[in-house]
Amino acid sequence: MQQSSNIICTTCPVGCSLQVTHDVGQICQIEGNACKRGLDYARSELQDPRRMVTTTVRVRGGTQPLLPVHTARPFPKPAIFALLSALRQLEVAAPLHIGQPVLANALGSGIDVLASRDLPARLEHPDT
Amino acid sequence: MLPQVVDVLVVGSGPAGLAAAVAAKRGGAERVLIVERDREAGGILQQCIHNGFGVELLKEDLPGPSYAQHFIDQARRLGIELLLDAMVLEVQVPFVAHAISRGQGYIEVQARALVVATGARERTRAQIRLPGTRPAGVYTAGMAQRFVNVEGFMPGKRFVILGSGDIGMIMARRLTFEGATVDRVIEIMPYLTGLTRNYVQCLLDLEIPLHLSHTVGRVIGGSRVEAVETVQVDAQRRPVPGTEEVVPCDTLLLSVGLLPEVELLQTLGAALDPITGGPVVDQSMQTTVHGLFAAGNVVHIYDLVDWVTEAGLLAGTSAALYARGELHGGLQHVAARPIHVRVGNNVRYVVPQLLDAGCLSQGEHKIQLRVLHPVEEPAWVRVVAGNEQIVRKALRYARPGEMITVVMDSKAVERLRLGEELTVSVLPR
Ligand SMILES: Cc1cc2nc3c(=O)[nH]c(=O)nc-3n(C[C@H](O)[C@H](O)[C@H](O)COP(=O)(O)OP(=O)(O)OC[C@H]3O[C@@H](n4cnc5c(N)ncnc54)[C@H](O)[C@@H]3O)c2cc1C
Ligand code: SF4
């Protein structure tokens, strides 16, 4: 059964509005894309939409209470909220280094979640 | 011991300040000191945990803290001194900075050249004159971002966000990711003011409605926000009677723009541009005060951090030259032979506002501008000197939310004459 969808291409800042007719993920017709990349974008949005995910995880013994983290690659969109709740359960210990995995192979996706910065351990008495 | 006399003093360690310090050091300034009031370096980037930073300059799509660390590490390797937890309160000309630090108390630093990279602050409720009661639960979006991403607590459960700029949309997603409900984002203009990518990934993906041509008519609540009344506005941004809607929520976030933090520049006597709210600068990022440079959001509000870094690098290089007495071919300041850059058709502002006529032939110069109104069709940016067009750049579109850069190459620059004015316009093609 053919369906039609409106997709906004985010490949470049132009942000074309694409009208796509498709059948089980196969694109039958596309309009509104100012360049070829719009077609690839529409295909991936229909077949396997992914997003970079950024959030924070709790830190024990660090100079800051939270560590910002990001997925190493774009992560499957339907599983983002499951990933976020997995990361909410996590607590990591300082010191931490930029690029260090805090969750490997997240939810079996093959994608690691990495530290976005260094986070040194807190000195025992920071104010003295 | 900290140096009490430095070649270049940088105030602020955001991307602009870090880049300025790095470039000043590389440019031959021996002693470079950054003073930062926060407890760590990086500026606003430390709370911008989302990705999207560095695509133009580093050719990498990084989260804000990673982008900051790239330049913090560079500054460390170069031996730039960083004084944290210290606020510059006042500076006298020629430069003596008075700062107060948690660790060292009152400090005085003498500097040959000064770079002010103090960033911007958010517009608050008072600045947009929001009617209604004064309950708790009205925050600026950046403040809420700091609570959630750095301090680790949520300022509410059910949000309405005023303003469709990037900060507002990014917070809509962030709060949703943390389990809160964002009822809607409302925007007074008839168009989105942030980037399309953020609209798709922060609002559409999470089914958060965007109401264009709407504003908050009134805040409702006793000790805490209970609701906001939204209202549609007409083309003149006047409320349309009968369109009011009461939207229950416990928190209202304001993402209604940033204002350059210019207090230091003002007390130093730098001329300000009434439109940008920042200082008037020349092509070296020097203000109207000799030896005083500025870069980043304190000059004008940037959309991309990459251009902030670029401006910081330019300011730092220039400050190092100034410290040695070599800026503008030894003249040090444009005051002797300035060319004014003026705004023309559909241009809200231009930076730099001044060019030094004598040094223009040395390479190319960038002029940055923003348009007043969106043009969703091919357009030209034209730079005209007298009656002669000296540069023309084709655009696919022009939107107020996206900064436009035109490069004046040496050919264009050669056609300029002393005493001339430049006018920059955006016109349909
Ligand atoms: C919420 C948000 C989201 C953004 N998202 C993106 C994005 O996705 N991609 C992108 O490219 N750009 C983004 N930007 C833009 C970019 O981050 C900013 O343009 C950039 O960080 C501005 O850098 P700056 O150095 O001018 O100012 P800041 O980063 O604000 O740094 C100014 C520093 O000066 C210090 N300071 C101020 N006054 C004093 C004083 N008197 N004494 C000592 N220290 C002082 C402050 O503490 C601060 O650390 C975003 C900005 C915001 C606010
Ligand atoms: S279709 Fe091409 S021009 Fe249009 S937004 Fe996508 S990449 Fe940009």
Side-chain angles (χ1 to χ4, degrees):
Chain A
M1 236 270 289
Q2 285 203 356
Q3 285 179 295
S4 47
S5 306
N6 264 315
I7 298 175
I8 300 176
C9 180
T10 60
T11 310
C12 88
V14 176
C16 296
S17 215
L18 317 177
Q19 290 82 48
V20 192
T21 322
H22 51 102
D23 198 348
V24 246
Q26 298 306 309
I27 292 175
C28 313
Q29 205 197 336
I30 180 165
E31 272 172 45
N33 55 319
C35 81
K36 287 209 303 283
R37 291 182 296 167
L39 180 62
D40 296 333
Y41 179 82
R43 193 176 289 126
S44 69
E45 278 295 282
L46 291 169
Q47 292 173 357
D48 179 20
R50 286 174 183 248
R51 299 286 183 264
M52 289 293 288
V53 180
T54 59
T55 183
T56 53
V57 299
R58 268 174 294 136
V59 179
R60 209 173 329 115
T63 52
Q64 301 281 347
L66 297 176
L67 174 75
V69 298
H70 63 279
T71 49
R73 282 179 284 129
F75 192 82
K77 194 173 137 188
I80 288 177
F81 279 87
L83 174 65
L84 290 167
S85 37
L87 290 168
R88 213 166 288 136
Q89 307 309 313
L90 205 65
E91 192 180 62
V92 292
L96 293 142
H97 297 286
I98 188 169
Q100 174 180 338
V102 295
L103 184 65
N105 186 17
L107 309 181
S109 62
I111 298 170
D112 294 347
V113 177
L114 311 175
S116 300
R117 54 167 287 179
D118 288 350
L119 212 150
R122 185 175 54 226
L123 300 173
E124 276 314 305
H125 302 288
D127 286 329
T128 53
Chain B
M1 269 301 284
L2 279 161
Q4 297 302 305
V5 184
V6 299
D7 293 305
V8 177
L9 172 64
V10 179
V11 186
S13 70
L18 288 167
V22 163
K25 191 80 183 180
R26 291 209 175 116
E30 253 169 65
R31 288 158 305 169
V32 179
L33 171 68
I34 307 179
V35 180
E36 167 59 54
R37 68 181 170 195
D38 207 338
R39 48 177 188 242
E40 55 178 13
I44 201 84
L45 292 172
Q46 296 294 9
Q47 67 184 58
C48 298
I49 63 164
H50 57 280
N51 63 299
F53 296 85
V55 180
E56 304 287 339
L57 203 71
L58 304 178
K59 305 291 171 215
E60 262 187 285
D61 183 357
L62 300 173
S66 309
Y67 187 91
Q69 187 164 340
H70 180 91
F71 291 94
I72 295 170
D73 289 349
Q74 248 181 37
R76 283 236 171 81
R77 280 198 299 274
L78 287 168
I80 290 160
E81 295 206 51
L82 183 59
L83 181 60
L84 295 174
D85 245 332
M87 175 144 178
V88 175
L89 301 173
E90 204 190 314
V91 187
Q92 287 152 347
V93 191
F95 308 112
V96 183
H98 306 275
I100 199 90
S101 114
R102 182 169 286 179
Q104 305 181 36
Y106 169 75
I107 306 169
E108 241 182 55
V109 183
Q110 289 176 31
R112 287 175 195 274
L114 178 66
V115 182
V116 171
T118 47
R121 69 165 73 113
E122 296 179 276
R123 272 174 198 267
T124 61
R125 178 170 180 178
Q127 280 144 339
I128 57 164
R129 302 205 190 132
L130 204 57
T133 53
R134 291 270 176 283
V138 181
Y139 298 99
T140 59
M143 191 73 235
Q145 187 180 45
R146 185 163 177 116
F147 289 157
V148 178
N149 293 347
V150 180
E151 320 270 343
F153 61 89
M154 290 286 286
K157 292 197 177 74
R158 194 177 178 87
F159 291 80
V160 168
I161 299 179
L162 177 59
S164 69
D166 293 314
I167 312 179
M169 292 196 285
I170 279 166
M171 279 313 290
R173 174 177 62 186
R174 185 71 194 121
L175 292 162
T176 309
F177 276 8
E178 288 298 328
T181 304
V182 177
D183 188 282
R184 65 188 67 183
V185 174
I186 48 191
E187 169 58 55
I188 194 165
M189 303 306 281
Y191 50 81
L192 184 79
T193 60
L195 301 175
T196 313
R197 182 186 60 176
N198 286 332
Y199 171 62
V200 172
Q201 298 187 355
C202 300
L203 303 188
L204 274 189
D205 274 6
L206 300 168
E207 294 169 10
I208 299 170
L210 170 66
H211 295 235
L212 297 173
S213 296
H214 275 73
T215 190
V216 171
R218 156 170 93 94
V219 177
I220 303 165
S223 59
R224 177 81 197 192
V225 174
E226 284 156 26
V228 295
E229 188 179 87
T230 67
V231 61
Q232 201 181 322
V233 297
D234 63 17
Q236 277 73 48
R237 288 193 251 164
R238 284 179 313 228
V240 179
T243 60
E244 297 85 358
E245 182 186 350
V246 173
V247 185
C249 60
D250 60 22
T251 312
L252 171 66
L253 293 192
L254 306 177
S255 174
V256 290
L258 302 172
L259 298 168
E261 186 141 340
V262 288
E263 285 71 10
L264 282 179
L265 293 168
Q266 257 173 329
T267 55
L268 278 159
L272 299 184
D273 178 326
I275 304 299
T276 59
V280 169
V281 291
D282 70 9
Q283 83 262 27
S284 72
M285 301 310 285
Q286 189 171 207
T287 67
T288 53
V289 176
H290 293 228
L292 174 61
F293 299 80
N297 274 354
V298 73
V299 176
H300 64 125
I301 304 305
Y302 284 80
D303 46 356
L304 284 186
V305 73
D306 309 71
W307 312 137
V308 171
T309 298
E310 197 182 64
L313 292 171
L314 178 57
T317 306
S318 312
L321 281 173
Y322 186 93
R324 286 208 305 272
E326 290 169 15
L327 187 64
H328 293 319
L331 261 188
Q332 295 284 66
H333 200 275
V334 298
R337 47 186 185 188
I339 291 177
H340 293 269
V341 189
R342 309 274 187 210
V343 299
N345 184 64
N346 197 16
V347 173
R348 193 156 75 86
Y349 68 74
V350 288
V351 170
Q353 297 90 340
L354 289 174
L355 297 173
D356 172 59
C359 296
L360 281 178
S361 51
Q362 298 162 7
E364 52 179 50
H365 298 281
K366 284 185 177 166
I367 294 184
Q368 294 175 321
L369 60 128
R370 280 188 193 265
V371 293
L372 279 167
H373 313 291
V375 185
E376 290 296 338
E377 58 186 13
W380 292 119
V381 186
R382 294 180 64 205
V383 182
V384 175
N387 288 322
E388 197 189 359
Q389 170 177 300
I390 59 166
V391 187
R392 188 174 75 167
K393 179 184 176 174
L395 304 172
R396 291 171 77 171
Y397 60 84
R399 295 175 190 154
E402 292 174 41
M403 205 178 76
I404 299 165
T405 301
V406 260
V407 177
M408 307 225 306
D409 57 15
S410 47
K411 265 215 307 274
V413 160
E414 273 163 25
R415 291 159 76 174
L416 278 178
R417 274 168 294 274
L418 189 63
E420 249 171 6
E421 281 192 355
L422 292 185
T423 307
V424 185
S425 317
V426 174
L427 302 154
R429 244 194 266 173

